[in-house]
Amino acid sequence: MTLIERLRDLLGSTGVISELAEMSPYLSDERDLYQGTAACVALPRSTEDVAQIVRICRAEGYAVVPQGGNTGYCGGASPDGERQVLVNLARLNKVREIDPIGFTATVEAGVVLANLHSAVAEQGLFFPLSMGSEGSCQIGGNLATNAGGLAVLRYGTAGELALGLEVVLPSGELLDCLTPLRKDNTGYDLKSLFLGAEGTLGIITAAVLKLFPAPTEHQTAWLALPDTVSVCKLLSLARRLSGDTVTSFEYISQASLQLVTGHIDGIQCPFTERHPHQVLMELSGPLAVESLRPTVESILTQAMEQGLVTDGVLADSEKQRRQLWRIRESIPQAEKHAGRSVKHDISVAIARIPEYLAAAPGRLVGIGAYRASIYGHIGDGNLHYNVLAAAGDDPVRFRSEHASGASSALHQLAAEMGGSFSAEHGIGKLKKEDLAQFKNETALQLMRVLKKALDPDDMMNPGKML
Ligand code: FAD
Ligand code: MLT
Ligand code: ZN
């Protein structure tokens, strides 16, 4: 039997796609940076299916590329040839258990993030991982990229929300670390090997995730600030005055706001005047005993007295809150409409963000005319310093001529400041050279040792990351 016949035998005729036209949506990536090829797309329905697929591929000499919602930004889920099988986890999508006593959810890897939000909300519970792609990205992809998003400041990254994992190893064996235990000091924390591994060490098939009581109140403000030092000072003030209930603290430059208002319909700008620096700040609380409203008002009063905030809008309704969030979450879409950006995802110590922002333009002089769309999770020290062609210039030509120069300049600056060139989007194919350049040699060597030990034949997502 051929590989495809063996896979059809296992998964049924609807579980294997081998026609090019049908495979096509799985082969291109979110940013259209890569056009992949594969022997076929396999769609397992169970953990045992995944293990069998890996065993069959191993026996037939094929590599395996795991894929979740295919929303990743670095080409990690793009297959690279006729000897690779793309394993898409979409049909492995059951919420196995929600435990309202232990505050955990046991979910399969293919559960779409937004579907998990709804499932736990039905029980008055809350899963805090949140990002613009949540209607498509999957829990397995979130964990494999150790995704960040909009509430890391309060709740942590995807990896920090995982208590246990179930993983199919390159050998085809099942690693069962699917535990809800919050404390378990019985040797190496094996699950952490697979968080951020981008499918290079195994396929995550299920996870136990931390849940929280659903917030009963949100206080959401859109604020104008005179400079970026004030942005950092406001974050510190808000955290101290609010008893650390600041959930999100997102930075939006005027240029990013202008892209949104220029390209997205139905956006209501919070201010009539232009402000160079803006912040979307949200406080949330699980307890309705005392409203957070006086707290947020007192933060804003003190911030204004100290000259940290020059103007502000405080959402008066859930509708207004959603409108404010829509502005922030529309930035990636607006950049797409503007001809796409060269994306960056750097992090530095929060207090050094102003220094990074002051130095970056000097590093970019070599690329000629450009527009910078700067925004992101400043509460985590993570900025998207995205670079676009100047208005009227050809965006495709700009990217082909300047993407590499802009990225090396901005990544180099982050490295010089003790930061990271990839805070939340990962490595994939796109940033392999940066990893080789910026990761310290001992750490890189240890990564290679781990890869070799778990996947000696390089069959699990080859050509990615290392
Ligand atoms: P995919 O793109 O399918 O895969 C990503 C990587 O994980 C690949 O290497 C793949 O091989 C591997 N993988 C997937 N599933 C598995 C599995 N089950 N087991 C092992 N490996 C697997 N990211 C952020 O961090 N923060 C943001 O705020 C954010 N905002 C975004 C907004 C938009 C509009 C878009 C389009 C993307 C955004 N992203 C963001 C990027 C992306 O959504 C995340 O990286 C997400 O976690 C990827 O999940 P996915 O299921 O789409 O994974
Ligand atoms: C975001 O924070 O919106 C994403 O991580 C960045 C992007 O989509 O460009
Ligand atoms: Zn982001």
Side-chain angles (χ1 to χ4, degrees), residues 46-48 50 92 96 106-109 140 143 163-169 173-179 191 194 202-208:
S46 66
T47 298
E48 186 47 31
V50 177
L92 199 66
R96 290 187 190 163
T106 305
V107 303
E108 294 180 344
L143 295 168
L163 291 169
L165 290 187
E166 178 187 84
V167 182
V168 171
L169 299 174
E173 289 167 291
L174 185 67
L175 176 69
D176 183 354
C177 296
L178 201 58
T179 169
K191 74 169 182 309
F194 305 92
I203 304 184
I204 298 168
T205 49
V208 182

Side-chain angles (χ1 to χ4, degrees), residues 73 131-132 148-150 250 328 332 344-345 375-377 382-384 424-425:
Y73 278 151
M131 62 194 77
L150 302 163
E250 296 287 309
R328 161 62 184 91
H344 299 102
D345 173 32
Y375 64 97
H377 322 288
N382 173 197
L383 278 184
H384 300 305
E424 58 172 12
H425 294 161

Side-chain angles (χ1 to χ4, degrees), residues 45-256:
R45 279 192 189 279
S46 66
T47 298
E48 186 47 31
D49 281 352
V50 177
Q52 288 288 4
I53 293 169
V54 171
R55 286 180 212 137
I56 292 170
C57 288
R58 163 167 290 288
E60 300 284 340
Y62 281 75
V64 161
V65 178
Q67 185 180 76
N70 200 17
T71 66
Y73 278 151
C74 301
S78 295
D80 264 336
E82 299 298 329
R83 302 294 296 179
Q84 301 198 351
V85 171
L86 187 66
V87 180
N88 183 289
L89 281 299
R91 300 204 303 182
L92 199 66
N93 61 2
K94 282 193 275 307
V95 175
R96 290 187 190 163
E97 189 191 355
I98 294 173
D99 173 0
I101 306 276
F103 283 83
T104 60
T106 305
V107 303
E108 294 180 344
V111 170
V112 170
L113 177 55
N115 293 348
L116 180 59
H117 290 159
S118 317
V120 302
E122 280 170 21
Q123 305 209 20
L125 297 169
F126 177 59
F127 182 62
L129 189 71
S130 161
M131 62 194 77
S133 54
E134 63 196 30
S136 310
C137 64
Q138 300 174 4
I139 295 303
N142 297 148
L143 295 168
T145 56
N146 192 12
L150 302 163
V152 172
L153 174 62
R154 176 89 170 271
Y155 293 104
T157 60
E160 289 171 281
L161 294 166
L163 291 169
L165 290 187
E166 178 187 84
V167 182
V168 171
L169 299 174
S171 59
E173 289 167 291
L174 185 67
L175 176 69
D176 183 354
C177 296
L178 201 58
T179 169
L181 298 179
R182 285 167 196 261
K183 301 177 89 173
D184 176 20
N185 278 352
T186 51
Y188 304 132
D189 181 12
L190 293 178
K191 74 169 182 309
S192 66
L193 277 179
F194 305 92
L195 302 169
E198 299 179 40
T200 59
L201 299 179
I203 304 184
I204 298 168
T205 49
V208 182
L209 302 169
K210 290 181 195 167
L211 301 178
F212 296 83
T216 50
E217 183 187 356
H218 296 98
Q219 292 295 340
T220 310
W222 190 282
L223 306 168
L225 299 94
D227 48 53
T228 53
V229 173
S230 299
V231 173
C232 295
K233 286 187 176 164
L234 174 67
L235 171 65
S236 172
L237 181 77
R239 289 190 66 178
R240 281 182 287 116
L241 293 185
S242 70
D244 220 4
T245 54
V246 181
T247 308
S248 301
F249 196 87
E250 296 287 309
Y251 174 78
I252 303 102
S253 63
Q254 178 61 25
S256 301

Side-chain angles (χ1 to χ4, degrees), residues 274-411:
R274 289 175 168 217
H275 298 279
H277 309 286
Q278 292 154 87
V279 160
L280 176 58
M281 176 173 82
E282 183 160 281
L283 277 61
S284 65
L287 284 175
V289 180
E290 263 183 60
S291 169
L292 286 168
R293 188 74 173 194
T295 307
V296 76
E297 284 169 353
S298 138
I299 293 168
L300 297 188
T301 306
Q302 290 200 36
M304 284 186 163
E305 281 166 7
Q306 293 174 30
L308 304 178
V309 166
T310 52
D311 204 350
V313 168
L314 203 45
D316 271 327
S317 61
E318 181 59 21
K319 186 173 168 217
Q320 198 183 3
R321 171 179 175 244
R322 287 193 184 283
Q323 281 168 351
L324 296 179
W325 271 109
R326 182 159 175 252
I327 304 174
R328 161 62 184 91
E329 290 186 309
S330 299
I331 301 173
Q333 192 65 18
E335 288 182 356
K336 235 180 185 177
H337 288 312
R340 291 186 185 268
S341 59
V342 183
K343 285 182 186 290
H344 299 102
D345 173 32
I346 65 93
S347 63
V348 294
I350 298 172
R352 297 192 74 181
I353 291 259
E355 193 184 333
Y356 186 92
L357 288 171
R363 302 298 180 100
L364 290 174
V365 282
I367 69 166
Y370 68 91
R371 283 177 291 170
S373 166
I374 309 166
Y375 64 97
H377 322 288
I378 206 163
D380 315 326
N382 173 197
L383 278 184
H384 300 305
Y385 199 116
N386 296 347
V387 177
L388 294 87
D393 285 358
D394 176 4
V396 178
R397 207 178 74 203
F398 175 80
R399 280 200 309 278
S400 78
E401 287 177 1
H402 298 302
S404 150
S407 299
S408 19
L410 292 171
H411 293 170

